[in-house]
Amino acid sequence: MTNPSLIRRNNHARGAGTAKAARPPGKRDRNRQSAEVKLAELRRRLLEINDLGAAGALLAWDHATYMPAGGAPARARQGATLRRLAHEKSVDPALGRLIDELQPRADSLAHGAASLIRVARRDFEKAVKVPPDYVARANTLGSASYDAWTRARPANDFPAMVPYLEEMLDLSREYAGFFAPYEHVADPLIDDADEGMTTASVRRLFGALARELVPIVRAISEQPPADDRCLRGKFAEAAQLDFSRAVVERMGYDFTRGRLDTTHHPFCTKFSAGDVRITTRVYAGDIGQALFSTLHEAGHALYEQGVGAALEGTPLGSGVSAGVHESQSRLWENQIGRSAGFWRHFYPRLQRAFPDQFAGVTLDAFYRAINKVEHSLIRTDADEVTYNLHIMLRFELELELLEARLAVKHLPEAWREAMQAHLGLVPPDDRDGCLQDVHWYAGGIGGAFHSYTLGNILSAQFHVAAVKAHPQIPQEIERGEFGMLRAWLTERVYQHGRTYTPNELIEQATGEPMSMRPYIAYLRAKYGELYRLPPAPRG
Ligand code: ZN
């Protein structure tokens, strides 16, 4: 299926070409030359902003991995200095003028220039709407609130966080106000993460998803629970790391352009196309943590390592949206990494690495253990079926807070009610309730959680499209080979960076707009077999 927005762009380019041909050649050449000089100047300015961002990311990576504790105060200041310099450059009126001057000639320039100008404009217009004093206040509150949260969560002290969270909520509303008019106060926050999505579109999607998911979860919970005791025990940490490293290298994560370290919270970070790093966490008593965190972050990294070299250093040179990024981590972690075919190849290797733990465990028992579904309190420990319910309840509470239908001080009760409604259990305290995620306490309220579920939905859509194009992919994976899948993802998703909008990219890659059908079909098929569920109703 063709993408209508691409057709529009091509028609436009043809139109511009016809108009130019009527001009005298001398003038056309001069115009083109001056546009190309301006484009080079635009690239130079954007490269400086990119470099300051990459330097800041390296400082943050070092902070999370190897920096001695004594480095913290100076590191915070150094990071803030780099962010300030990058912000100054990204709101420079000269940059805005350059974008304005290039806009009418975008289509006559080299391939990719139109996208570069579009994305540079989107970033510039967002940046200039946010006053510097707001950025400073948000940074100060973010660090103070994060710091308070690291103490309040273990102490189960939600009241200590109420003043911070109230201020966070005010700041989130103030931020949205910079982008007024909007239909819903959360729209600007959602658009930052996932261009083209709105509160209304996420609500519609989540409503439809809940209608499908809830009966699946209910049917699973009526079955005997899976036994995942084989994943707990005592696993040498170095051996876990070695195994995880070998798996992601096999998947195609390029260690000559990356590295793997351990941190408390796993992440993926990019300094350039030649340096995309991942971190993981290793728990001696739970092998699932290292395995699936490493697969997840490697999924993010494969995307970043696969972005086309020509986009390097420009705002086009990274993943297109939070949701599409998350789809790549989820695809490798869940669609591939929790599949039976994947473990047909890797399980004998895992048994050799951990003979005491797995020698007596069959592949089938291991496969059931890594796909255990259970109602749980903690989002980050949730299985792939119930995970989305955790996201939906956060999304609803965020909207209630932003719409002032819910006061911050009543959040704990609202959380308990929502947990009861969505997952049928109530946390014994706020530590495992509304204090569990850092997002609201460090980054503000709204626009963060929905992307995880978009990622889950899209992971299935991309995977189905890849297998449709290359039906041999599942057989390849059973042999521990990933070349065909990776090539399809590179061609359809990775290489494009931000060249297309998220919706264009999804439609171009899969032949249809974002759809939850492949995801629901995947869950029904996989968990229907695992938990012997009755067949889905027709219609
Ligand atoms: Zn992720």
Side-chain angles (χ1 to χ4, degrees):
M1 203 178 292
T2 331
N3 182 338
S5 57
L6 288 178
I7 296 170
R8 264 202 306 281
R9 188 147 60 218
N10 290 337
N11 284 343
H12 190 59
R14 269 199 295 281
T18 319
K20 274 192 288 112
R23 285 196 214 107
K27 190 173 174 193
R28 186 183 64 184
D29 287 350
R30 276 199 305 281
N31 273 346
R32 177 183 299 246
Q33 260 172 13
S34 99
E36 264 156 24
V37 169
K38 286 195 167 78
L39 185 63
E41 170 63 7
L42 177 67
R43 288 180 183 277
R44 188 194 64 76
R45 285 173 174 271
L46 296 172
L47 186 62
E48 281 184 350
I49 298 168
N50 170 81
D51 286 351
L52 288 166
L58 176 56
L59 292 189
W61 172 86
D62 177 65
H63 190 164
T65 50
Y66 297 111
M67 188 189 76
R75 183 56 50 86
R77 189 194 66 238
Q78 291 153 355
T81 301
L82 286 171
R83 275 196 302 278
R84 182 173 51 75
L85 289 174
H87 183 73
E88 281 169 16
K89 287 187 180 292
S90 61
V91 298
D92 187 337
L95 176 63
R97 279 197 300 275
L98 205 48
I99 296 169
D100 281 343
E101 287 162 11
L102 279 164
Q103 186 77 65
R105 301 188 227 169
D107 294 325
S108 66
L109 289 163
H111 175 71
S115 301
L116 181 67
I117 293 164
R118 179 185 64 77
V119 170
R121 172 176 297 285
R122 172 176 157 88
D123 293 351
F124 178 79
E125 286 178 351
K126 287 214 177 233
V128 290
K129 282 185 177 153
V130 185
D133 88 284
Y134 173 90
V135 178
R137 279 186 290 128
N139 280 335
T140 308
L141 177 66
S143 340
S145 177
Y146 172 74
D147 194 48
W149 174 79
T150 58
R151 279 173 276 116
R153 189 185 175 208
N156 189 38
D157 187 1
F158 180 75
M161 294 312 297
V162 168
Y164 290 103
L165 209 49
E166 283 175 342
E167 219 179 312
M168 278 292 183
L169 184 57
D170 287 343
L171 277 180
S172 295
R173 288 204 193 100
E174 186 182 345
Y175 181 85
F178 302 139
F179 300 91
Y182 42 69
E183 202 174 294
H184 189 282
V185 61
D187 285 354
L189 305 160
I190 290 173
D191 183 74
D192 274 3
D194 294 284
E195 181 180 3
M197 298 298 290
T198 62
T199 310
S201 63
V202 175
R203 254 185 181 147
R204 260 197 312 278
L205 192 66
F206 283 14
L209 184 61
R211 281 193 290 281
E212 300 282 351
L213 266 182
V214 169
I216 298 177
V217 173
R218 192 177 306 128
I220 291 175
S221 60
E222 284 162 5
Q223 298 297 318
D227 180 355
D228 65 348
R229 280 173 300 176
C230 65
L231 304 175
R232 321 256 182 265
K234 187 104 189 72
F235 300 90
E237 297 188 19
Q240 289 195 49
L241 209 50
D242 285 348
F243 185 81
S244 302
R245 185 180 283 116
V247 172
V248 298
E249 187 161 30
R250 186 91 195 192
M251 269 162 48
Y253 176 65
D254 180 356
F255 276 93
T256 67
R257 298 189 291 140
R259 53 178 293 137
L260 173 63
D261 297 270
T262 55
T263 46
H264 193 59
H265 297 289
F267 63 91
C268 166
T269 185
K270 180 182 200 173
F271 312 135
S272 70
D275 194 350
V276 180
R277 303 185 189 184
I278 55 175
T279 71
T280 191
R281 63 172 157 219
V282 186
Y283 292 171
D286 177 2
I287 195 172
Q289 290 289 338
L291 269 178
F292 294 106
S293 297
T294 315
L295 287 176
H296 182 100
E297 299 308 330
H300 283 301
L302 284 174
Y303 189 1
E304 290 296 342
Q305 286 189 331
V307 172
L311 308 179
E312 164 84 349
T314 78
L316 301 180
S318 65
V320 71
S321 68
V324 172
H325 230 300
E326 199 61 17
S327 77
Q328 297 311 302
S329 56
R330 300 289 168 157
L331 187 150
W332 289 99
E333 176 194 355
N334 291 335
Q335 303 279 322
I336 308 302
R338 289 184 205 269
S339 70
F342 180 88
W343 287 104
R344 231 160 262 146
H345 175 80
F346 284 107
Y347 190 58
R349 287 157 182 79
L350 187 72
Q351 285 180 306
R352 281 201 291 280
F354 299 96
D356 297 345
Q357 292 87 347
F358 290 119
V361 178
T362 63
L363 170 60
D364 185 61
F366 176 77
Y367 173 64
R368 285 171 191 279
I370 60 171
N371 288 296
K372 178 178 184 175
V373 176
E374 64 183 333
H375 295 250
S376 61
L377 294 171
I378 306 294
R379 172 184 64 88
T380 53
D381 295 339
D383 57 83
E384 59 179 332
V385 185
T386 61
Y387 187 94
N388 301 296
L389 303 176
H390 290 264
I391 296 303
M392 287 171 190
L393 83 88
R394 282 158 180 73
F395 181 70
E396 283 167 17
L397 291 174
E398 278 180 347
L399 297 187
E400 286 182 32
L401 287 165
L402 286 164
E403 292 167 12
R405 286 187 286 128
L406 171 65
V408 165
K409 62 173 190 245
H410 295 134
L411 181 59
E413 298 110 83
W415 186 283
R416 286 191 287 272
E417 282 166 24
M419 276 299 286
Q420 178 65 55
H422 282 275
L423 283 140
L425 32 120
V426 175
D429 54 28
D430 297 332
R431 184 179 9 222
D432 288 342
C434 65
L435 280 172
Q436 68 178 269
D437 295 305
V438 69
H439 304 56
W440 291 341
Y441 302 97
I445 292 170
F449 286 113
H450 71 277
S451 307
Y452 295 118
T453 285
L454 299 187
N456 286 334
I457 291 169
L458 289 169
S459 69
Q461 191 172 342
F462 285 124
H463 185 224
V464 164
V467 174
K468 195 171 167 199
H470 302 288
Q472 321 85 302
I473 284 175
Q475 286 87 53
E476 266 212 359
I477 289 172
E478 291 196 13
R479 296 195 301 271
E481 287 165 21
F482 303 94
M484 208 177 282
L485 174 60
R486 223 176 42 248
W488 186 91
L489 289 168
T490 303
E491 187 202 323
R492 299 301 185 104
V493 182
Y494 299 169
Q495 65 164 333
H496 302 296
R498 294 173 73 198
T499 303
Y500 304 109
T501 67
N503 289 337
E504 287 170 353
L505 183 89
I506 293 161
E507 197 162 335
Q508 210 169 278
T510 69
E512 60 172 352
M514 185 183 333
S515 160
M516 62 167 200
R517 277 184 296 104
Y519 182 57
I520 291 297
Y522 158 75
L523 291 178
R524 281 224 179 93
K526 177 173 174 179
Y527 291 91
E529 188 254 308
L530 273 167
Y531 285 89
R532 299 182 191 87
L533 302 182
R538 295 200 167 270

